[in-house]
Amino acid sequence: MITKLTITPCDLDAQGNVTGPRTSEAFTVRLNPSNYTRNFEITYNTTKAMGAAVMQPRFNGAGEKKMEFDILMDGTGVVPPTSPNSTAIDVDTQLGDLRKVVYTLDGEEHEPNTVMLVWGSFSFVGKLSTMSVEYTLFKPTGDPLRAKVKLSFIQYIGPTEAANAANLRSPDLTHSVDVQAGDSLPLLCFRIYKNSAYYLEVAKFNGITNFRNIKPGTRLNFPPLR
């Protein structure tokens, strides 16, 4: 049996974390995509350090950001149904079913659904970014018989998952430093991050209001870069 790509709306808790898919509302394609594109992105902090002659990009994070693919919708009856009890469905109805899942505003969230795309072992959670429809075959009456739908989804990560991934809940204990005489916060930031521009963030993280007057012996924690 051929496994079909499914697009399923997800429930979110009050904080925006995904709690599970609403499988009864899933949209199943009749024809799987012939290909799909996964876009991965590496981001860098490009803040130029004060007094630096050149800007040196510092690694900030990496991850999958976008997924794109096309699906073909057919209303001629040539394409096999998704289940033995299904019948031929016209293109406009198929498009309406898809829009309900990915495009129509959710009644409670007042924004498009967060959806889970699953095809075999591959899964992706995101929100619709763009959707375009190209009609390619028509009845003599002008009603569409076939359409190609281009879909692009941007990755969705809930706040709990994002915090865990970035390890923002605690400082990196390997970057705890006891201030020595002659040390300055910009200098320490350069030693840790190779970029002195983070001194204000580190001062805020440690509750320091006067970063120019840090007493020797003070222990500072340097959190992971965001």
Side-chain angles (χ1 to χ4, degrees):
M1 182 177 178
I2 298 176
T3 300
K4 298 294 183 70
L5 168 69
T6 60
I7 306 173
T8 309
C10 296
D11 286 322
L12 305 178
D13 63 19
Q15 288 71 44
N17 298 299
V18 175
T19 57
R22 303 198 299 269
T23 54
S24 62
E25 301 175 32
F27 176 86
T28 302
V29 303
R30 294 200 163 203
L31 286 170
N32 282 324
S34 59
N35 58 72
Y36 61 84
T37 301
R38 298 169 63 185
N39 295 293
F40 296 84
E41 183 177 287
I42 297 176
T43 59
Y44 296 89
N45 187 306
T46 56
T47 302
K48 185 178 178 181
M50 185 179 301
V54 296
M55 181 274 294
Q56 293 182 319
R58 301 298 301 173
F59 175 75
N60 191 38
E64 186 169 4
K65 300 298 182 182
K66 188 180 291 186
M67 181 180 181
E68 301 171 319
F69 58 90
D70 300 347
I71 56 175
L72 182 66
M73 293 186 172
D74 184 274
T76 64
V78 173
V79 178
T82 54
S83 67
N85 297 325
S86 299
T87 58
I89 302 177
D90 64 82
V91 168
D92 283 338
T93 299
Q94 294 179 56
L95 284 170
D97 291 342
L98 176 61
R99 280 196 296 265
K100 288 178 184 177
V101 174
V102 302
Y103 186 82
T104 304
L105 299 186
D106 181 270
E108 295 182 359
E109 301 296 331
H110 303 293
E111 62 179 71
N113 286 314
T114 299
V115 296
M116 179 179 294
L117 292 82
V118 177
W119 188 11
S121 60
F122 172 75
S123 65
F124 180 92
V125 177
K127 286 181 174 288
L128 180 70
S129 175
T130 61
M131 173 180 174
S132 63
V133 183
E134 178 185 0
Y135 297 95
T136 59
L137 185 66
F138 303 87
K139 297 178 181 179
T141 59
D143 295 325
L145 280 171
R146 191 169 292 156
K148 182 169 69 172
V149 185
K150 294 180 177 291
L151 297 167
S152 177
F153 294 87
I154 188 169
Q155 186 182 35
Y156 179 84
I157 300 177
T160 298
E161 183 182 355
N164 290 338
N167 193 24
L168 297 179
R169 292 184 175 178
S170 62
D172 184 344
L173 297 181
T174 62
H175 290 162
S176 293
V177 176
D178 293 326
V179 177
Q180 305 295 320
D183 284 342
S184 68
L185 194 52
L187 177 61
L188 292 173
C189 286
F190 184 82
R191 290 176 184 169
I192 300 297
Y193 302 127
K194 305 304 180 187
N195 190 333
S196 61
Y198 297 107
Y199 68 94
L200 290 177
E201 294 180 37
V202 174
K204 182 178 180 180
F205 185 87
N206 286 273
I208 296 173
T209 56
N210 185 359
F211 68 88
R212 294 184 176 87
N213 187 26
I214 303 176
K215 295 180 179 180
T218 301
R219 171 155 291 193
L220 299 177
N221 292 315
F222 291 77
L225 292 178
R226 299 185 181 184

